[in-house]
Amino acid sequence: MASPIGTQQLPQEKYAEELTELDEAIVNLQVLYEKYFLGIDRRPPDQERKRVSEKTREMRTTNIRNTALKFKINTLFAKLLSFERMWDRTLREIEDGTYKRDVFKAKLRDKDRDGGGPARAAPAPTISDANLRRLYDTYLVAKKRCGESTDGISFDSIASRIRAQVPELMQKHKAKNIEFKVVIKGGKAILKAVPHT
């Protein structure tokens, strides 16, 4: 009787590992969409979305007896559907020109264009409150997805920490700008600084 249990156990372990990877992939996909909506990336992550969506649906149709694993895949599937509805709504708003962040950025561009005047030395890049708020929200979501506690993580503490790091990192890497992104590493959400030289 030992062998059937052994053979049954392995697919469950593999399935559990794949679920963890899928959870991380959904969080990373959300981060990619955040970057696109902020204007950091020029194109939406369609290929990654297709891959994650197909993998989720494939795993949902897999015959698995473990109730906890079934519950987890159904939860992930519901989460992905919820994100997809939100992303599609935002994409439609961008197409229609009603997306608030786009309208705000367009107004800023027009203001800069109308400003003219003599060329001035560019000030050291700072991260706007809107970008910091989005980064903070994404960081919290990622930590919750990874099952980490978010107690004691305030917007002000994250914002001041990032703002303090920007000048140091720019000097260290001789970078023109520093981009921060949320990544999942070893099952934990971290803020990663990416210098642009």
Side-chain angles (χ1 to χ4, degrees), residues 22-23 27 29 39 44 50 61 98 102 127 130 136 153 167 187-188 190:
L22 182 62
D23 200 357
V27 174
L29 181 59
K50 187 182 175 193
T61 56
T98 57
D102 269 13
I127 301 176
Y136 171 73
I153 302 174
K188 291 191 173 185
I190 58 167

Side-chain angles (χ1 to χ4, degrees), residues 1 16 50 60 65 83 87 97 104 123 144 149 153 161 163 190 197:
M1 290 294 289
K50 187 182 175 193
R60 195 163 174 255
R65 289 181 180 179
F83 279 143
W87 296 331
F104 176 71
K144 284 174 188 170
S149 170
I153 302 174
R161 195 173 84 194
R163 285 196 170 117
I190 58 167
T197 52

